[in-house]
């Protein structure tokens, strides 16, 4: 299948399917509606991760520090009541098991990525602050993505404060992070970027982009989903070709059937893998 064939098949999907495929620090090989905005779901957690590691390198936060595990957070909407997360809407019982106790920021960041814990995400945001997350997007060269609030901050959502991503910006963020693991870059030191890549490589939700790759292929991955939305972004590290970044965002009724949405992302991932020597 050619890229044009893939584009034609995606034209038949209701809603918006956006994508970006290309080498690190190089023009993309293939894009599709890469600047279209989508509700971010959990993909914004990569920017939160980078904000935390930047704060640790600056000495303003300690990844090894124990912090209280609470479930009450300031809203991004001025004057609104504090908000909480719902346990049934989360993906990680391990964080909830520590409610009322403590956990290190490093552990919370890992759970935020590998299990996509919403409670862990809000705890990390409470310590780094949303301006630090905005700075990460800017440093990565993102043009359209915004992290305006924490997870389940419904007062902010109702006021129009939201979290938005594009496939191009997600690819820029992951590409900048991956390139920074070998060459001093904009987000963090090479050691810091490598540590973040290790967290992303440990991703446990592997039903979309990773499912389109041969078993055992390394991919530093973050995905996100809510009803009507399924996104994923990753850096694929083949043994026989240079690394490449892939981002796919879907806002479509197809995601009412989540298996179908995952298969769509896996199909795009398989196409990129097949073309890995020619990207």
């Amino acid at each position: 299948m050619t890229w044009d064939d893939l584009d034609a098949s995606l034209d038949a999907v209701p809603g918006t399917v956006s994508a970006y495929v290309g080498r690190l620090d190089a023009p993309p090989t293939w894009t599709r509606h890469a600047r279209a905005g989508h509700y971010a779901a959990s993909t914004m957690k990569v920017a939160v991760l980078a904000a935390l590691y930047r704060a640790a390198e600056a000495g303003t936060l300690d990844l090894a520090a124990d912090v209280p595990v609470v479930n009450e957070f300031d809203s991004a909407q001025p004057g609104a009541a504090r908000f909480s997360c719902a346990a049934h809407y989360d993906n990680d019982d391990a964080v909830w098991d520590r409610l009322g106790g403590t956990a290190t920021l490093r552990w919370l960041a890992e759970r935020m990525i590998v299990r996509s814990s919403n409670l862990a995400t809000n705890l990390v945001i409470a310590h780094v602050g949303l301006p630090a997350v905005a700075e990460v997007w800017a440093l990565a060269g993102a043009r359209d993505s915004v992290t305006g609030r924490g997870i389940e901050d419904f007062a902010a959502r109702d006021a129009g404060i939201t979290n938005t991503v594009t496939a191009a910006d997600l690819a820029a963020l992951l590409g900048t992070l991956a390139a920074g693991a070998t060459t001093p870059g904009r987000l963090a030191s090479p050691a810091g970027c490598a540590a973040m890549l290790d967290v992303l490589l440990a991703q446990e939700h592997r039903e979309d982009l990773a499912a389109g790759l041969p078993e055992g292929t390394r991919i530093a991955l973050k995905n996100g989903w809510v009803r009507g939305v399924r996104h994923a972004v990753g850096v694929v590290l083949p043994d026989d070709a240079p690394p490449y970044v892939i981002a796919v965002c879907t806002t479509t009724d197809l995601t009412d059937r989540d298996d179908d949405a995952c298969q769509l992302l896996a199909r795009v991932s398989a196409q990129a893998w097949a073309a890995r020597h020619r990207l």
Side-chain angles (χ1 to χ4, degrees):
M1 179 185 291
T2 67
W3 295 114
D4 286 343
D5 292 335
L6 181 59
D7 250 328
S9 71
L10 296 176
D11 284 341
V13 177
T16 303
V17 179
S18 302
Y20 180 110
V21 176
R23 298 259 185 249
L24 307 183
D25 291 332
T29 299
W30 174 70
T31 64
R32 175 187 170 84
H33 307 315
R35 295 277 172 204
H38 298 261
Y39 175 65
S42 291
T43 57
M44 45 74 79
K45 294 172 182 176
V46 180
V48 178
L49 177 73
L52 175 63
Y53 273 73
R54 283 176 55 77
E57 290 198 343
T60 56
L61 289 174
D62 180 359
L63 293 176
D66 279 308
V67 300
V69 178
V70 299
N71 187 21
E72 191 173 77
F73 307 99
D74 291 333
S75 174
Q77 171 63 11
R82 305 190 85 199
F83 71 96
S84 299
C85 292
H88 72 272
Y89 191 60
D90 211 330
N91 299 291
D92 191 5
D93 292 340
V95 181
W96 289 86
D97 288 344
R98 298 201 184 192
L99 192 62
T102 64
T104 67
L105 286 170
R106 177 181 284 108
W107 184 82
L108 290 169
E110 290 170 354
R111 305 311 294 181
M112 172 179 72
I113 297 298
V114 304
R115 291 301 306 166
S116 207
S117 169
N118 294 335
L119 180 58
T121 302
N122 285 341
L123 287 162
V124 175
I125 289 174
H127 287 274
V128 301
L130 289 170
V133 182
E135 184 177 9
V136 165
W137 285 117
L139 288 169
R143 290 167 46 184
D144 305 297
S145 296
V146 175
T147 303
R149 59 174 174 83
I151 308 293
E152 298 178 72
D153 183 354
F154 298 128
R157 180 199 65 184
D158 293 345
I161 301 170
T162 191
N163 300 325
T164 303
V165 294
T166 69
D169 287 348
L170 287 172
L173 178 57
L174 265 289
T176 300
L177 195 158
T182 56
T183 304
R186 300 185 294 273
L187 286 181
S189 69
C193 287
M196 286 186 272
L197 275 185
D198 284 343
V199 175
L200 291 159
L201 284 163
Q203 175 61 249
E204 296 178 13
H205 293 286
R206 303 181 64 82
E207 59 270 30
D208 42 53
L209 292 185
L213 301 172
E215 187 72 26
T217 302
R218 294 186 302 151
I219 177 170
L221 171 67
K222 185 69 193 84
N223 31 32
W225 59 92
V226 297
R227 185 176 178 84
V229 165
R230 185 89 198 191
H231 311 323
V233 58
V235 173
V236 182
L237 302 165
D239 291 333
D240 61 349
Y244 63 90
V245 63
I246 176 170
V248 185
C249 299
T250 68
T251 301
T252 166
D253 290 343
L254 178 68
T255 52
D256 289 345
R257 305 184 301 278
D258 201 49
D259 286 348
D260 289 348
C262 288
Q263 289 171 21
L264 185 155
L265 269 65
R267 179 155 54 93
V268 177
S269 183
Q271 171 83 1
W273 174 263
R276 67 191 181 280
H277 298 294
R278 305 184 303 277
L279 295 178

